[in-house]
Amino acid sequence: MTDVLLSVQAIETFYGPIQALHGASIEVRPGQIVTVLGANGAGKTTILKTISGVMDPRRGGILFEGRPIARMSPDRVMRLGICHAPEGREVFPFLTVRENLMMGAFTRRDTAAIRSDLEAVFGYFPVLQERERQRAGQLSGGQQQMLAIGRALMGAPKLLLLDEPSLGLSPLLVTQIFGIIRRINEERGTAILLVEQNAHIALQTAHFGYVMEVGRVVIADRCEALAAREDIRAFYLGHGPGASGSVRRPRRRR
């Protein structure tokens, strides 16, 4: 088995005539949490949509477990083991919590394993079990975020794509959800690709990080190293002198 689970290779993705990604490349290794940081419009969400098949790259390639997946339909990508919890939660509001979770397992036929995964999701998010017969649209924002993550887990992912899981949540709920994200990674060995504007908690949670600016990856390093950089601390973490609006790219070694 390859030691690289996901390899995104110089992809270029467009919204109509507007180019959103300019040769972006990232990697995720088995069992790793990788975060993608960047300001609004940097291309973070577009990378996830391109990986999951919601958008097609015009150029470049994507390999998952060594297999080309660029331009595959989203359902085929999901069947291979990539599950996406999108920005904004996007639960089915008129379905119950349990029905939403079971929608995450719609491609599966392993009944016993589905039942086991449902119990695991309820273990991570006990409030979902308490409200399993309630319509998803009646949940709070934090509970809907838990449901979106739980639904993605019901697909038995090898790679979990999480887009802005902290968006609109209280600091207490953010801490709780990121604690569960770490548990999922540690207990299940699930690799996670995390897009997150809360750089502080993202760098505390992930093993490796990429920084994007205007559709390009400008920095890639271990999260400990990123958190120690003065420009990252100033621009994303609010420490040190004021940011100039971008981060300094590392000098190339000669």
Side-chain angles (χ1 to χ4, degrees):
M1 180 181 291
T2 177
D3 63 349
V4 177
L5 182 66
L6 175 78
S7 177
V8 176
Q9 303 170 338
I11 57 172
E12 299 183 6
T13 302
F14 290 71
Y15 291 89
I18 307 300
Q19 187 168 359
L21 297 178
H22 300 261
S25 299
I26 64 173
E27 287 185 349
V28 180
R29 296 178 181 275
Q32 192 178 43
I33 303 178
V34 173
T35 189
V36 181
L37 306 177
N40 285 334
K44 308 183 302 296
T45 290
T46 305
I47 270 202
L48 296 192
K49 288 181 175 180
T50 307
I51 292 167
S52 63
V54 175
M55 299 181 70
D56 290 334
R58 193 170 297 181
R59 284 179 283 276
I62 304 172
L63 300 178
F64 182 66
E65 295 185 315
R67 176 178 181 174
I69 65 167
R71 303 169 192 85
M72 271 190 185
S73 63
D75 68 299
R76 289 186 65 197
V77 172
M78 181 180 176
R79 290 173 195 273
L80 291 177
I82 299 177
C83 296
H84 188 177
E87 181 182 11
R89 299 148 199 154
E90 295 187 12
V91 299
F92 300 101
F94 297 110
L95 298 183
T96 67
V97 167
R98 186 184 185 91
E99 288 167 342
N100 267 270
L101 292 173
M102 296 308 294
M103 286 294 290
F106 81 98
T107 63
R108 300 173 60 183
R109 297 294 179 266
D110 47 343
T111 305
I114 290 172
R115 189 180 306 114
S116 176
D117 284 343
L118 183 62
E119 292 175 0
V121 168
F122 285 153
Y124 291 127
F125 306 109
V127 69
L128 297 184
Q129 185 168 25
E130 295 170 9
R131 299 174 181 269
E132 65 176 312
R133 300 189 183 280
Q134 186 172 338
R135 286 188 178 184
Q138 297 173 331
L139 300 178
S140 69
Q143 291 163 355
Q144 288 186 10
Q145 184 63 74
M146 295 174 188
L147 180 56
I149 296 172
R151 184 181 61 198
L153 285 176
M154 289 300 296
K158 300 173 185 176
L159 174 64
L160 179 60
L161 308 180
L162 298 179
D163 194 352
E164 301 284 8
S166 77
L167 188 66
L169 302 185
S170 69
L172 182 62
L173 270 176
V174 170
T175 300
Q176 181 182 353
I177 284 178
F178 272 81
I180 293 166
I181 290 170
R182 284 189 288 268
R183 281 184 59 197
I184 291 166
N185 173 252
E186 293 166 1
E187 296 175 4
R188 302 169 69 96
T190 305
I192 298 172
L193 181 57
L194 168 70
V195 160
E196 179 54 58
Q197 283 203 341
N198 185 333
H200 181 75
I201 198 162
L203 292 174
Q204 284 184 330
T205 302
H207 306 111
F208 197 87
Y210 293 88
V211 178
M212 293 191 67
E213 289 183 2
V214 200
R216 295 175 173 85
V217 173
V218 296
I219 302 175
D221 210 336
R222 294 174 298 105
C223 285
E224 297 92 334
L226 290 177
R229 285 181 56 131
E230 180 182 333
D231 51 351
I232 297 290
R233 290 169 61 82
F235 189 65
Y236 291 106
L237 305 181
H239 301 153
S244 62
S246 64
V247 294
R248 294 195 304 271
R249 305 186 190 194
R251 293 180 179 177
R252 293 182 180 178
R253 295 180 179 177
R254 297 185 180 274

mmCIF file of all heavy atoms in Angstrom, residues 89-101 103 131-139 144 147 151:
data_model
loop_
_atom_site.group_PDB
_atom_site.id
_atom_site.type_symbol
_atom_site.label_atom_id
_atom_site.label_comp_id
_atom_site.label_asym_id
_atom_site.label_seq_id
_atom_site.Cartn_x
_atom_site.Cartn_y
_atom_site.Cartn_z
ATOM 1 N N ARG A 89 -22.981 22.848 7.002
ATOM 2 C CA ARG A 89 -23.664 21.649 7.537
ATOM 3 C C ARG A 89 -24.524 20.937 6.512
ATOM 4 O O ARG A 89 -24.360 19.759 6.293
ATOM 5 C CB ARG A 89 -24.484 22.006 8.780
ATOM 6 C CG ARG A 89 -23.573 22.558 9.896
ATOM 7 C CD ARG A 89 -24.266 23.586 10.764
ATOM 8 N NE ARG A 89 -23.284 24.376 11.491
ATOM 9 C CZ ARG A 89 -23.502 25.593 11.913
ATOM 10 N NH1 ARG A 89 -24.666 26.173 11.703
ATOM 11 N NH2 ARG A 89 -22.569 26.238 12.553
ATOM 12 N N GLU A 90 -25.478 21.611 5.897
ATOM 13 C CA GLU A 90 -26.288 21.037 4.830
ATOM 14 C C GLU A 90 -26.925 19.697 5.219
ATOM 15 O O GLU A 90 -26.829 18.702 4.503
ATOM 16 C CB GLU A 90 -25.450 20.883 3.549
ATOM 17 C CG GLU A 90 -25.006 22.218 2.979
ATOM 18 C CD GLU A 90 -24.335 22.105 1.632
ATOM 19 O OE1 GLU A 90 -24.407 21.021 1.018
ATOM 20 O OE2 GLU A 90 -23.737 23.099 1.186
ATOM 21 N N VAL A 91 -27.564 19.680 6.374
ATOM 22 C CA VAL A 91 -28.340 18.498 6.763
ATOM 23 C C VAL A 91 -29.673 18.501 6.024
ATOM 24 O O VAL A 91 -30.064 19.506 5.422
ATOM 25 C CB VAL A 91 -28.575 18.477 8.295
ATOM 26 C CG1 VAL A 91 -27.249 18.408 9.033
ATOM 27 C CG2 VAL A 91 -29.386 19.678 8.756
ATOM 28 N N PHE A 92 -30.365 17.373 6.053
ATOM 29 C CA PHE A 92 -31.707 17.290 5.467
ATOM 30 C C PHE A 92 -32.706 17.717 6.544
ATOM 31 O O PHE A 92 -33.009 16.934 7.460
ATOM 32 C CB PHE A 92 -32.001 15.869 4.996
ATOM 33 C CG PHE A 92 -31.036 15.388 3.938
ATOM 34 C CD1 PHE A 92 -29.987 14.544 4.259
ATOM 35 C CD2 PHE A 92 -31.185 15.792 2.618
ATOM 36 C CE1 PHE A 92 -29.106 14.097 3.288
ATOM 37 C CE2 PHE A 92 -30.307 15.342 1.636
ATOM 38 C CZ PHE A 92 -29.260 14.497 1.970
ATOM 39 N N PRO A 93 -33.245 18.944 6.476
ATOM 40 C CA PRO A 93 -33.971 19.505 7.622
ATOM 41 C C PRO A 93 -35.267 18.784 7.971
ATOM 42 O O PRO A 93 -35.680 18.794 9.133
ATOM 43 C CB PRO A 93 -34.238 20.953 7.200
ATOM 44 C CG PRO A 93 -34.166 20.948 5.713
ATOM 45 C CD PRO A 93 -33.145 19.910 5.367
ATOM 46 N N PHE A 94 -35.921 18.159 6.981
ATOM 47 C CA PHE A 94 -37.218 17.532 7.246
ATOM 48 C C PHE A 94 -37.098 16.042 7.571
ATOM 49 O O PHE A 94 -38.100 15.395 7.862
ATOM 50 C CB PHE A 94 -38.165 17.759 6.061
ATOM 51 C CG PHE A 94 -38.464 19.207 5.831
ATOM 52 C CD1 PHE A 94 -37.958 19.856 4.718
ATOM 53 C CD2 PHE A 94 -39.218 19.934 6.741
ATOM 54 C CE1 PHE A 94 -38.213 21.204 4.503
ATOM 55 C CE2 PHE A 94 -39.474 21.275 6.537
ATOM 56 C CZ PHE A 94 -38.970 21.920 5.422
ATOM 57 N N LEU A 95 -35.870 15.520 7.512
ATOM 58 C CA LEU A 95 -35.629 14.140 7.943
ATOM 59 C C LEU A 95 -35.208 14.151 9.399
ATOM 60 O O LEU A 95 -34.663 15.134 9.909
ATOM 61 C CB LEU A 95 -34.543 13.484 7.096
ATOM 62 C CG LEU A 95 -34.818 13.331 5.599
ATOM 63 C CD1 LEU A 95 -33.662 12.587 4.936
ATOM 64 C CD2 LEU A 95 -36.137 12.618 5.347
ATOM 65 N N THR A 96 -35.438 13.045 10.096
ATOM 66 C CA THR A 96 -35.019 12.942 11.486
ATOM 67 C C THR A 96 -33.497 12.808 11.570
ATOM 68 O O THR A 96 -32.819 12.558 10.559
ATOM 69 C CB THR A 96 -35.649 11.721 12.172
ATOM 70 O OG1 THR A 96 -35.117 10.523 11.575
ATOM 71 C CG2 THR A 96 -37.164 11.747 12.061
ATOM 72 N N VAL A 97 -32.992 12.967 12.769
ATOM 73 C CA VAL A 97 -31.558 12.786 13.004
ATOM 74 C C VAL A 97 -31.116 11.397 12.551
ATOM 75 O O VAL A 97 -30.121 11.239 11.834
ATOM 76 C CB VAL A 97 -31.234 13.005 14.495
ATOM 77 C CG1 VAL A 97 -29.829 12.513 14.832
ATOM 78 C CG2 VAL A 97 -31.388 14.482 14.854
ATOM 79 N N ARG A 98 -31.866 10.386 12.936
ATOM 80 C CA ARG A 98 -31.502 9.015 12.550
ATOM 81 C C ARG A 98 -31.543 8.836 11.031
ATOM 82 O O ARG A 98 -30.641 8.207 10.455
ATOM 83 C CB ARG A 98 -32.443 8.009 13.230
ATOM 84 C CG ARG A 98 -32.038 6.560 12.996
ATOM 85 C CD ARG A 98 -33.047 5.600 13.614
ATOM 86 N NE ARG A 98 -32.594 4.234 13.476
ATOM 87 C CZ ARG A 98 -31.853 3.576 14.365
ATOM 88 N NH1 ARG A 98 -31.494 4.181 15.481
ATOM 89 N NH2 ARG A 98 -31.479 2.332 14.148
ATOM 90 N N GLU A 99 -32.552 9.401 10.388
ATOM 91 C CA GLU A 99 -32.645 9.282 8.932
ATOM 92 C C GLU A 99 -31.485 9.989 8.241
ATOM 93 O O GLU A 99 -30.942 9.498 7.235
ATOM 94 C CB GLU A 99 -33.986 9.847 8.455
ATOM 95 C CG GLU A 99 -35.178 8.960 8.819
ATOM 96 C CD GLU A 99 -36.515 9.661 8.622
ATOM 97 O OE1 GLU A 99 -36.545 10.918 8.546
ATOM 98 O OE2 GLU A 99 -37.533 8.954 8.558
ATOM 99 N N ASN A 100 -31.090 11.144 8.761
ATOM 100 C CA ASN A 100 -29.918 11.831 8.223
ATOM 101 C C ASN A 100 -28.675 10.962 8.332
ATOM 102 O O ASN A 100 -27.889 10.865 7.379
ATOM 103 C CB ASN A 100 -29.686 13.147 8.971
ATOM 104 C CG ASN A 100 -30.336 14.349 8.312
ATOM 105 O OD1 ASN A 100 -29.741 15.026 7.478
ATOM 106 N ND2 ASN A 100 -31.591 14.607 8.690
ATOM 107 N N LEU A 101 -28.479 10.347 9.484
ATOM 108 C CA LEU A 101 -27.306 9.496 9.675
ATOM 109 C C LEU A 101 -27.330 8.307 8.718
ATOM 110 O O LEU A 101 -26.299 7.961 8.117
ATOM 111 C CB LEU A 101 -27.232 9.017 11.131
ATOM 112 C CG LEU A 101 -26.936 10.110 12.160
ATOM 113 C CD1 LEU A 101 -27.068 9.548 13.577
ATOM 114 C CD2 LEU A 101 -25.537 10.706 11.956
ATOM 115 N N MET A 103 -28.664 8.204 5.854
ATOM 116 C CA MET A 103 -28.360 8.680 4.507
ATOM 117 C C MET A 103 -26.861 8.629 4.235
ATOM 118 O O MET A 103 -26.436 8.424 3.095
ATOM 119 C CB MET A 103 -28.879 10.105 4.313
ATOM 120 C CG MET A 103 -30.390 10.199 4.165
ATOM 121 S SD MET A 103 -30.993 9.423 2.653
ATOM 122 C CE MET A 103 -30.375 10.568 1.426
ATOM 123 N N ARG A 131 -31.813 12.863 20.488
ATOM 124 C CA ARG A 131 -32.727 13.549 19.568
ATOM 125 C C ARG A 131 -32.894 12.793 18.250
ATOM 126 O O ARG A 131 -33.262 13.388 17.239
ATOM 127 C CB ARG A 131 -32.200 14.964 19.286
ATOM 128 C CG ARG A 131 -32.110 15.824 20.536
ATOM 129 C CD ARG A 131 -31.455 17.163 20.259
ATOM 130 N NE ARG A 131 -31.357 17.959 21.457
ATOM 131 C CZ ARG A 131 -32.270 18.835 21.870
ATOM 132 N NH1 ARG A 131 -33.372 19.005 21.157
ATOM 133 N NH2 ARG A 131 -32.100 19.524 22.973
ATOM 134 N N GLU A 132 -32.663 11.490 18.264
ATOM 135 C CA GLU A 132 -32.629 10.758 16.999
ATOM 136 C C GLU A 132 -33.955 10.773 16.251
ATOM 137 O O GLU A 132 -33.975 10.586 15.033
ATOM 138 C CB GLU A 132 -32.162 9.310 17.230
ATOM 139 C CG GLU A 132 -33.081 8.441 18.054
ATOM 140 C CD GLU A 132 -32.562 7.012 18.124
ATOM 141 O OE1 GLU A 132 -32.211 6.457 17.072
ATOM 142 O OE2 GLU A 132 -32.504 6.458 19.240
ATOM 143 N N ARG A 133 -35.071 10.996 16.932
ATOM 144 C CA ARG A 133 -36.368 11.034 16.246
ATOM 145 C C ARG A 133 -36.830 12.461 15.949
ATOM 146 O O ARG A 133 -37.924 12.671 15.437
ATOM 147 C CB ARG A 133 -37.422 10.306 17.091
ATOM 148 C CG ARG A 133 -37.073 8.843 17.333
ATOM 149 C CD ARG A 133 -38.198 8.086 17.969
ATOM 150 N NE ARG A 133 -37.806 6.701 18.263
ATOM 151 C CZ ARG A 133 -37.772 5.723 17.374
ATOM 152 N NH1 ARG A 133 -38.120 5.950 16.125
ATOM 153 N NH2 ARG A 133 -37.402 4.503 17.722
ATOM 154 N N GLN A 134 -35.988 13.425 16.272
ATOM 155 C CA GLN A 134 -36.322 14.823 16.025
ATOM 156 C C GLN A 134 -35.866 15.224 14.617
ATOM 157 O O GLN A 134 -34.866 14.734 14.100
ATOM 158 C CB GLN A 134 -35.611 15.702 17.062
ATOM 159 C CG GLN A 134 -35.992 17.173 17.011
ATOM 160 C CD GLN A 134 -35.379 17.919 18.192
ATOM 161 O OE1 GLN A 134 -35.035 17.324 19.215
ATOM 162 N NE2 GLN A 134 -35.249 19.234 18.042
ATOM 163 N N ARG A 135 -36.625 16.133 13.988
ATOM 164 C CA ARG A 135 -36.219 16.619 12.672
ATOM 165 C C ARG A 135 -34.915 17.418 12.784
ATOM 166 O O ARG A 135 -34.734 18.214 13.705
ATOM 167 C CB ARG A 135 -37.311 17.493 12.068
ATOM 168 C CG ARG A 135 -38.513 16.713 11.557
ATOM 169 C CD ARG A 135 -39.454 17.620 10.818
ATOM 170 N NE ARG A 135 -40.599 16.890 10.287
ATOM 171 C CZ ARG A 135 -41.548 17.424 9.530
ATOM 172 N NH1 ARG A 135 -41.485 18.725 9.234
ATOM 173 N NH2 ARG A 135 -42.548 16.700 9.074
ATOM 174 N N ALA A 136 -34.046 17.223 11.799
ATOM 175 C CA ALA A 136 -32.736 17.867 11.839
ATOM 176 C C ALA A 136 -32.841 19.381 11.807
ATOM 177 O O ALA A 136 -32.015 20.087 12.387
ATOM 178 C CB ALA A 136 -31.887 17.380 10.676
ATOM 179 N N GLY A 137 -33.870 19.917 11.139
ATOM 180 C CA GLY A 137 -34.034 21.355 11.061
ATOM 181 C C GLY A 137 -34.361 22.009 12.393
ATOM 182 O O GLY A 137 -34.257 23.232 12.521
ATOM 183 N N GLN A 138 -34.727 21.205 13.388
ATOM 184 C CA GLN A 138 -35.055 21.734 14.715
ATOM 185 C C GLN A 138 -33.849 21.736 15.656
ATOM 186 O O GLN A 138 -33.959 22.207 16.785
ATOM 187 C CB GLN A 138 -36.189 20.907 15.331
ATOM 188 C CG GLN A 138 -37.489 20.974 14.538
ATOM 189 C CD GLN A 138 -38.553 20.029 15.063
ATOM 190 O OE1 GLN A 138 -38.241 18.973 15.622
ATOM 191 N NE2 GLN A 138 -39.806 20.402 14.893
ATOM 192 N N LEU A 139 -32.715 21.230 15.184
ATOM 193 C CA LEU A 139 -31.516 21.195 16.019
ATOM 194 C C LEU A 139 -30.843 22.563 16.053
ATOM 195 O O LEU A 139 -31.003 23.382 15.146
ATOM 196 C CB LEU A 139 -30.523 20.168 15.480
ATOM 197 C CG LEU A 139 -30.974 18.707 15.392
ATOM 198 C CD1 LEU A 139 -29.856 17.861 14.798
ATOM 199 C CD2 LEU A 139 -31.395 18.174 16.754
ATOM 200 N N GLN A 144 -26.417 20.498 14.592
ATOM 201 C CA GLN A 144 -26.409 20.207 13.159
ATOM 202 C C GLN A 144 -24.990 19.932 12.667
ATOM 203 O O GLN A 144 -24.780 19.089 11.790
ATOM 204 C CB GLN A 144 -27.023 21.364 12.376
ATOM 205 C CG GLN A 144 -28.530 21.478 12.548
ATOM 206 C CD GLN A 144 -29.144 22.530 11.653
ATOM 207 O OE1 GLN A 144 -28.501 23.070 10.765
ATOM 208 N NE2 GLN A 144 -30.411 22.838 11.897
ATOM 209 N N LEU A 147 -24.233 16.497 13.584
ATOM 210 C CA LEU A 147 -24.959 15.597 12.697
ATOM 211 C C LEU A 147 -24.256 15.475 11.340
ATOM 212 O O LEU A 147 -24.162 14.379 10.775
ATOM 213 C CB LEU A 147 -26.389 16.096 12.512
ATOM 214 C CG LEU A 147 -27.303 15.262 11.610
ATOM 215 C CD1 LEU A 147 -27.387 13.820 12.081
ATOM 216 C CD2 LEU A 147 -28.707 15.881 11.555
ATOM 217 N N ARG A 151 -22.954 12.032 9.997
ATOM 218 C CA ARG A 151 -23.428 11.487 8.724
ATOM 219 C C ARG A 151 -22.254 11.087 7.836
ATOM 220 O O ARG A 151 -22.275 10.042 7.187
ATOM 221 C CB ARG A 151 -24.306 12.522 8.018
ATOM 222 C CG ARG A 151 -24.936 12.032 6.717
ATOM 223 C CD ARG A 151 -25.768 13.119 6.075
ATOM 224 N NE ARG A 151 -24.950 14.278 5.751
ATOM 225 C CZ ARG A 151 -25.435 15.496 5.494
ATOM 226 N NH1 ARG A 151 -26.735 15.721 5.546
ATOM 227 N NH2 ARG A 151 -24.628 16.500 5.200
#
